[in-house]
């Protein structure tokens, strides 16, 4: 993601303030859409985590420490998760204000692109660390822009330390997010989130669509079979 080079205070509305909209994205940042939104992964995560009144799953909005917003420093992650917060305040403020929520987000993730890769592993990491964000993850489809296909940091005594990334069979890379209680995976260039309690990925919109199709096909097959049995019963009764 690009960061504008102009400073700005948060525009104040009656009774509150609102963060400005983020700048237009660069064309190559379609990678973020492909990984998080095209298959419905971000919405699936929101459904999986539940507790909509106090759990926030957001994206494409600024994170600022307080009302003294400085556009030259602030960042807007591709994905943000925060527990025990006020999602309505996030929407009203047009972003995440740490002083307003009373805590930093628990999890942020950046998806690599050519125009954002260097910032993802440099300035953004420093900024998220300074805010006290518990976990900072990076996903890179090719590994060319972050220097690694999957990486994560966890806050330990105010400083980020690398999260262990393991290589599984077939070249799958996996790291455990304690914040989400999920395994994050790089699988053939796709970001996948696995539930360690089931050993399966959290369902995406595409998974749910396929399940509905299978259910409908099952009903059609069962109805056709019932008609066949009824016809066979009538034939037997008629021949008797």
């Amino acid at each position: 993601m690009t960061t504008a080079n102009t400073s700005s205070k948060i525009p104040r509305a009656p009774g509150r303030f609102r963060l400005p909209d983020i700048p237009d994205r660069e064309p190559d940042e379609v990678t973020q859409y492909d990984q998080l939104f095209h298959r419905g992964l971000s919405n699936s995560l929101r459904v999986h985590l539940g507790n909509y009144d106090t759990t926030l799953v957001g994206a494409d909005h600024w994170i600022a420490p307080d009302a003294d917003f400085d556009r030259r420093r602030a960042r807007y992650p591709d994905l943000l998760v925060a527990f025990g917060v006020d999602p309505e305040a996030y929407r009203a403020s047009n972003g995440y204000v740490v002083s307003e929520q009373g805590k930093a987000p628990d999890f942020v993730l950046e998806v690599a692109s050519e125009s954002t890769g260097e910032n993802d592993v440099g300035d953004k990491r420093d900024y998220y660390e300074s805010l006290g964000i518990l976990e900072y993850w990076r996903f890179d489809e090719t590994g060319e822009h972050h220097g690694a296909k999957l990486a994560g940091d966890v806050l330990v005594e105010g400083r980020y330390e690398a999260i262990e990334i393991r290589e599984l069979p077939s070249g799958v890379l996996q790291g455990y997010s304690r914040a989400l209680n999920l395994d994050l995976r790089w699988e053939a260039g796709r970001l996948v989130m696995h539930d360690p309690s089931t050993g399966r990925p959290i369902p995406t919109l595409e998974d749910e669509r396929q399940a509905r199709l299978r259910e409908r096909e099952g009903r059609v097959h069962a109805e056709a079979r019932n008609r066949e049995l009824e016809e066979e019963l009538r034939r037997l009764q008629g021949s008797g």
Side-chain angles (χ1 to χ4, degrees), residues 25 30 46-47 85-86 97 121 123 126 139 146 155-156 194:
R25 284 187 169 273
V30 70
R46 178 175 178 270
V47 172
V85 297
D86 184 356
V97 183
V121 299
D123 292 343
D126 295 340
F139 178 87
H146 286 166
L155 201 66
V156 178
H194 273 243

Side-chain angles (χ1 to χ4, degrees), residues 16-232:
R16 70 171 303 111
F17 55 80
R18 280 179 58 83
L19 291 160
D21 293 336
I22 65 170
D24 292 337
R25 284 187 169 273
E26 297 293 337
D28 71 324
E29 292 184 79
V30 70
T31 52
Q32 177 229 25
Y33 173 82
D34 290 344
Q35 295 295 338
L36 297 176
F37 306 117
H38 179 65
R39 294 180 294 112
L41 181 59
S42 60
N43 185 67
S44 299
L45 178 61
R46 178 175 178 270
V47 172
H48 175 80
L49 295 176
N51 300 316
Y52 300 144
D53 290 339
T54 59
T55 298
L56 170 66
V57 178
D60 284 348
H61 287 75
W62 297 102
I63 302 177
D66 49 42
D68 291 326
F69 174 71
D70 185 347
R71 193 187 293 253
R72 294 170 300 182
R73 285 206 66 221
R75 301 291 185 266
Y76 44 96
D78 292 329
L79 183 66
L80 171 155
V81 178
F83 300 103
V85 297
D86 184 356
E88 286 301 325
Y90 174 81
R91 287 185 277 272
S93 296
N94 200 35
Y96 196 100
V97 183
V98 175
S99 62
E100 180 179 62
Q101 296 287 0
K103 56 170 287 189
D106 297 276
F107 173 101
V108 296
L109 178 141
E110 300 284 5
V111 177
S113 65
E114 184 177 1
S115 62
T116 69
E118 184 176 351
N119 279 334
D120 290 347
V121 299
D123 292 343
K124 290 176 190 173
R125 184 180 185 276
D126 295 340
Y127 182 66
Y128 296 149
E129 181 184 71
S130 73
L131 291 180
I133 294 173
L134 181 60
E135 290 185 0
Y136 173 39
W137 287 81
R138 296 167 298 284
F139 178 87
D140 188 339
E141 179 180 341
T142 65
E144 296 176 357
H145 308 304
H146 286 166
K149 295 175 179 177
L150 180 67
D153 292 305
V154 61
L155 201 66
V156 178
E157 297 182 355
R159 301 300 300 270
Y160 275 147
E161 293 186 1
I163 295 172
E164 178 186 9
I165 305 297
R166 298 186 295 123
E167 184 169 354
L168 306 180
S170 303
V172 172
L173 301 176
Q174 175 176 290
Y176 175 66
S177 167
R178 183 174 297 178
L180 302 183
N181 189 26
L182 290 172
D183 290 320
L184 272 63
R185 290 186 175 185
W186 181 98
E187 293 187 4
R190 288 178 55 188
L191 174 62
V192 182
M193 295 184 177
H194 273 243
D195 185 346
S197 67
T198 65
R200 298 181 57 82
I202 61 174
T204 65
L205 294 176
E206 179 61 21
D207 295 330
E208 294 171 2
R209 188 181 75 85
Q210 292 295 332
R212 287 195 297 270
L213 287 174
R214 289 192 295 270
E215 181 181 358
R216 185 172 65 183
E217 290 171 356
R219 287 199 305 268
V220 170
H221 178 77
E223 291 168 359
R225 181 59 179 158
N226 285 338
R227 288 194 295 271
E228 291 176 359
L229 292 174
E230 291 170 357
E231 180 63 26
E232 179 65 12

